[in-house]
Each structure stands twice: as structure tokens, then as C-alpha cells.
Amino acid sequence: MSEQRLRDVLRQAVPEAPDLDPAAIKGRAARERRHRRSVAAGGAAAVLAIVAGTLTMAALLRDGGTQVLPSDQSPAVLPSHTAPTVIPWLSSPPGPNPVPKGNAEPPLAGQPISLQLIVDERARRGEPLKFIVRIANLGSEPVPLAPCPYYRVQYLPHVETGYLNCDQAPDAIPPQSHLDFAMQINVQRLQPGIGGTYDLLWQLGGEGAEGKTVRTPVELVRTGMMRVTVPSHCGVLSVTVEGQLWLADPPLGDHNPPPGWDENQTSGRLIFLNPDRAEFHGDQGQRATFRRADPVDTDPNAECE
Amino acid sequence: MGEAVVMEVSPAFEEYVVTRGRALWRSAWLLTGDAQRAEDLVQTALVKCWHRWDRIAAGGSVDGYVRRALITTYTDWRRRRWTGEVPTADIPDARTVETDLEVRRDVLSALAELPRAQRAVIVLRFYDDLTEVQTADALGVSVGTVKSHTARALKTLRKSDFLEDS
């Protein structure tokens, strides 16, 4: 294939592009900025607490010290899972992992249904995120729930699978009606992060049988600091936290671990001073400052071997 | 001509999104192979840029900056495992010509055989028609790396069952 032929094929393949809405993008940017500011407030408070010595690490760290400051104490508003119209969550999916191997037809394929997620709480690390999935029948005939549909749900990189609780649901979704299923997914405790808004994704079927999908942004409660491992083999150059690159400012070491740093990786806490700056406190007293990387920055550690 | 110069030097964010958003989406579609994720990718990149828009616009090379943000975001997404995002309320467009669908499927299948960096090089070089230098800048790599990625990607695509010359 010639290069010109490749150009032609690429152009032929690309579908018509939608119009993008600048207002929607600016709205999302504003929401993210507001959230980053709230993160900064939590991080700064954590630093002050440490400096003043008014709180011990034992008090700061929760759950065995593997996770981070509980920097937001506002109570979550729970969805009304106990309402009689909500079908309880099936905590133990029957049988093995329901996701089939190879290509298969996803559950409720071809049925006139729509999905909706109802999430009334924010996600907290190490705790289940509870929500409701509403399956609506838009058609004029009942939509049978047999065989019992299975699903996949994802929040952050964590994926869970299961079946709908068909035993406690009607045999079918009546026409022009809907059923609400209580759902939950564990929010990973060890996943580092400072909070933010991430999509909760819920899909009928699963890998190899991907059916209708719905997603909604869910706020992950901010944390003021976290445990991280900073690469130090080629000097202290950068650390990536939940996909966000942070650059050492200034970089430490001359392409080698600085004195007192571990040969490969150095563990410690990353404390967020504001949305753009963070301070690393190593377990052995190491110190480094990081700045949030620009979108165009590349990871200097990528060259490290 | 005066207006064109002003637009080139410092477009308002809204103006840029309206005039360039569709082009960015098309590149993003080739990178992701999915309309929903393409829109998400472009939005995410533009959100990052919006925070610094004054600085970017003052710098003069808005397109280059946004494209680099797009590619960096795409590269960061390598950690995401989700592959099946399908908007729930969408109805397949029955008007799409069948041959276009076949080409589309074949192109995406062929591109899916490439590592992410090579795929980005192919899109930038042969869809966006960037030079090797511009591609290197967008990817944050050397020109030599672009050349080697291009050569390897073309070799793979030429062997691909999905892109045979017809």
C-alpha cells in the first residue's frame, strides 16, 4: 500500500464529525477547576496540621495507614435502596464470572430499552459506591428478563461483573415502564488519587458481548495527601498520580538517585499544597517538590532504563 | 487578510472550538476508533487547554499546542481498560453506506494492530498531513523516533489483511 493510498483510505473511513459545544467544554473545565480548588484546601489543611504537630500520623491516617486523610467529612446522601420499587442488589452473582468468552449477543440486545444511572452519593476510597440502574422499556411489548441479564460496571480502573437480581424482579419490564435495580461497586482503596470527577460506567453484557452502556460522572471525595512511590533510579524527575503527571521542581540527582534516596523507588507521602504544587515527604526524610505538568509535558522518566 | 491574521494569532476559545473542533474529532476518532471516546478525548484535551487559553493563544501556535494536548491525553489513556463505551440512547445510522462501513471497519481493524505511538504517528502524518518535525513536536519525541515509528507502522499496515490494495 502506497502512502497516498493510505491517506485516501483514512479519509474515506472517517465518519462525519459532530459539532462540539464550546459552552459544554467550558462548563466541564469550570467544574474541574472548582473541584481542584477544593482539593487544594484539603491539602493545605493537611500540611498545616502536620507542621503544627497537632495531629499525629496515627490520627491522620485511616484504615491501617494505607490511605489518606479523610479530608471531607460531609455525610453522604444515600439513595433510597430500601424503597419497595428498587430491586435489591444481588451481592453474590450466581455461578462463575458471567462474561462469556468470544463474541456473544449481549443481554437485551435489540430490545427497545434505555438505561439510566441514579447516583446520589460521592465515591469514597475503600467504600462501596451505591447507585441505581434504571432500565426503561420504551416499547409497547413487555421486555422479558430471561435469560437473566448480566452486566459490567466500572469506576476508575476497577471493574466488577454480575447478574441482575432477577429472582426478586418481575419476569419482564412492562411496556412504557421501568425497573430500578440497586447496584454497588467497590471504590479501590489502593488506587492513588486526589479526588476528581470520573465516569461511572455500567454496561449490559461485558467483554465479548458489549451491550448498551450508560455512564455518569461521579465525584471522588478528595484526599489531602496520599502514599506514593516516586521513581528515583534516574534522579527524582517525576511521579504520575492517577494519570496526572507531576514534575519535580527542581529535579533532584544528576541522572542518579540523590543521596539518601532509594536505588529504584522511594516511598512516602505526597501532600497537595494547591492544585498545581505538591510536596513529597519520604519515609526516610527525603523531600522533593512537584508541580502539576502541563498537558504538553512529557514524562522524563520515560527515558529512564 | 487582517481578520485571518488575528484569528491565527489569538482565536477566542469558542471560535477555536467551533472552527477546529470537528477536525480534532476526526483525528481523535482515528486514534480511538469510537465516536463517543473521540468526543471525550477532544473534550478532555480542550478542557486542559481552556485553563491556560490566554497563554496558549498568546504563544501563537494554538493548533500545535492543542494537538499536543490531544496526543498526550490519548497516550495517558493507555491505562484505561474500558473498551466498550456505547451511548445507550444512540440508534445506528441506517443511512450510512455499506461500503463506507466496510472501509471504516477495515481501517479501524488495521489501526488496532499498531502500538499506540505508531498509531498516533500514522494519524498525524497521513491524516493530519503533518511533517515529521511537526509530528515529533506533537508527540514530544525526536524526528528519528517518528521516522522509525512510521516505518514500522507502514510495514505492519502493508502486511495487514484489512488494508489490502483493491
Side-chain angles (χ1 to χ4, degrees), chain A residues 33-52:
Chain A
R33 173 167 286 186
R34 276 197 301 275
H35 185 76
R36 284 169 58 185
R37 283 179 177 156
S38 71
V39 169
V47 173
L48 287 174
I50 293 167
V51 172

Side-chain angles (χ1 to χ4, degrees), chain A:
Chain A
M1 167 173 285
S2 69
E3 293 183 2
Q4 186 54 49
R5 167 75 178 143
L6 177 59
R7 284 189 170 88
D8 294 342
V9 168
L10 292 177
R11 275 167 179 69
Q12 190 182 352
V14 175
E16 190 171 337
D19 288 322
L20 299 181
D21 180 7
I25 296 169
K26 287 169 71 174
R28 179 173 156 183
R31 283 195 300 277
E32 290 184 5
R33 173 167 286 186
R34 276 197 301 275
H35 185 76
R36 284 169 58 185
R37 283 179 177 156
S38 71
V39 169
V47 173
L48 287 174
I50 293 167
V51 172
T54 53
L55 294 171
T56 64
M57 283 309 298
L60 286 170
L61 295 174
R62 192 173 63 172
D63 301 333
T66 55
Q67 189 61 12
V68 187
L69 274 181
S71 50
D72 190 307
Q73 300 294 342
S74 58
V77 180
L78 296 174
S80 54
H81 290 134
T82 53
T85 53
V86 178
I87 298 154
W89 179 61
L90 184 61
S91 59
S92 304
N97 187 324
V99 177
K101 287 186 166 43
N103 291 324
E105 190 169 76
L108 305 181
Q111 296 285 2
I113 60 166
S114 73
L115 303 178
Q116 184 184 358
L117 292 178
I118 302 167
V119 188
D120 293 332
E121 65 179 33
R122 294 181 293 172
R124 294 165 186 275
R125 294 175 191 284
E127 298 178 18
L129 170 64
K130 296 177 180 177
F131 61 99
I132 291 171
V133 61
R134 172 169 293 175
I135 306 178
N137 178 358
L138 308 176
S140 54
E141 301 291 331
V143 172
L145 293 177
C148 189
Y150 54 93
Y151 64 88
R152 179 169 70 163
V153 57
Q154 176 174 4
Y155 188 68
L156 297 169
H158 183 56
V159 176
E160 293 182 14
T161 58
Y163 282 99
L164 295 181
N165 189 355
C166 292
D167 286 349
Q168 297 185 53
D171 293 338
I173 309 172
Q176 301 297 311
S177 184
H178 66 260
L179 293 179
D180 287 345
F181 291 88
M183 288 283 153
Q184 66 181 58
I185 180 173
N186 288 314
V187 181
Q188 282 185 314
R189 180 185 303 282
L190 296 178
Q191 184 69 22
I194 58 171
T197 301
Y198 304 90
D199 275 357
L200 171 69
L201 300 116
W202 194 92
Q203 180 182 66
L204 277 166
E207 221 159 314
E210 292 165 345
K212 289 194 173 179
T213 304
V214 63
R215 60 180 178 173
T216 190
V218 176
E219 184 185 342
L220 179 66
V221 171
R222 62 185 162 82
T223 50
M225 65 179 181
M226 73 188 64
R227 293 213 44 94
V228 296
T229 303
V230 174
S232 46
H233 183 63
C234 296
V236 178
L237 307 173
S238 66
V239 62
T240 299
V241 179
E242 207 153 58
Q244 171 64 50
L245 177 67
W246 294 78
L247 297 175
D249 185 20
L252 303 179
D254 185 15
H255 304 293
N256 285 299
W261 290 69
D262 291 353
E263 177 64 26
N264 292 312
Q265 296 179 321
T266 303
S267 298
R269 291 165 286 126
L270 195 63
I271 300 168
F272 297 94
L273 308 176
N274 62 46
D276 296 316
R277 292 196 80 77
E279 199 168 82
F280 176 75
H281 291 207
D283 292 339
Q284 307 302 321
Q286 302 94 336
R287 289 285 187 278
T289 305
F290 290 85
R291 68 170 175 84
R292 180 187 291 268
D294 277 352
V296 297
D297 286 329
T298 52
D299 186 354
N301 265 312
E303 305 293 327
C304 180
E305 294 182 355

